[in-house]
């Protein structure tokens, strides 16, 4: 597996205001750890920044680091949450992964984070 790209941040231009940033990664790919087949999906990141915001170019490279990695949907969604919330320390964050059908079954995983709660 390739190393994960380093997430870069920038100062929140309005740190006293609550607002929501929504980022959609509609071409997300990873690999099924059981079959080795590619998994295709969309990762949606919604967050209210505190002091820092996530820089998009570094996020793109971070997401691309999953392309050849065998990982279950549940693990990757929680791992993305851990990495993004640890780096940016948002007030709140929600990660939704939606994967395309495989064998007639679709899967979505939702993980939420709120500052001060685990």
């Amino acid at each position: 597996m390739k190393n994960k790209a380093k997430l870069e941040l920038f100062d929140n231009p309005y740190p006293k205001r609550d607002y929501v940033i929504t980022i959609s990664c509609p071409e997300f790919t990873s690999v099924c750890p059981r079959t080795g087949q590619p998994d295709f999906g969309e990762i949606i990141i919604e967050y209210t920044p505190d002091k820092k915001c996530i820089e998009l170019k570094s996020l793109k490279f971070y997401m691309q680091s999953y392309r050849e990695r065998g990982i279950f949907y549940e693990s990757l969604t929680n791992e993305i949450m851990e990495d993004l919330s640890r780096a940016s320390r948002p007030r709140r964050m929600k990660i939704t992964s939606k994967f395309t059908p495989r064998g007639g079954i679709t899967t979505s995983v939702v993980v939420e984070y709120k500052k001060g709660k685990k």
Side-chain angles (χ1 to χ4, degrees), residues 1-2 21 25 33-35 45 53 68 80 93 101-102:
M1 176 190 105
K2 293 181 187 177
I21 298 171
C25 306
R34 295 266 172 121
T35 66
I45 302 158
C53 296
E68 297 176 13
I80 290 170
M93 182 176 277
R102 177 176 285 182

Side-chain angles (χ1 to χ4, degrees), residues 63-115:
M63 290 296 182
Q64 288 174 349
S65 70
Y66 283 92
R67 283 192 174 173
E68 297 176 13
R69 184 166 172 203
I71 187 169
F72 290 110
Y73 304 148
E74 299 80 3
S75 293
L76 79 85
T77 309
N78 278 281
E79 186 173 297
I80 290 170
M81 173 62 81
E82 286 182 11
D83 291 343
L84 297 184
S85 64
R86 185 178 300 125
S88 66
R89 300 287 185 213
R91 292 182 185 146
R92 70 169 243 4
M93 182 176 277
K94 178 179 174 183
I95 308 279
T96 303
S97 60
K98 298 179 180 181
F99 287 87
T100 57
R102 177 176 285 182
I105 297 174
T106 60
T107 303
S108 293
V109 179
V110 178
V111 179
E112 295 190 52
Y113 162 90
K114 191 168 185 176
K115 193 171 191 169

Side-chain angles (χ1 to χ4, degrees), residues 36-76:
Q37 296 294 307
D39 286 324
F40 301 97
E42 177 178 17
I43 305 295
I44 302 163
I45 302 158
E46 299 173 67
Y47 74 104
T48 300
D50 192 9
K51 295 178 182 161
K52 298 289 184 178
C53 296
I54 300 167
E55 192 277 324
L56 296 180
K57 183 177 178 182
S58 71
L59 179 63
K60 176 180 77 170
F61 291 135
Y62 169 84
M63 290 296 182
Q64 288 174 349
S65 70
Y66 283 92
R67 283 192 174 173
E68 297 176 13
R69 184 166 172 203
I71 187 169
F72 290 110
Y73 304 148
E74 299 80 3
S75 293
L76 79 85

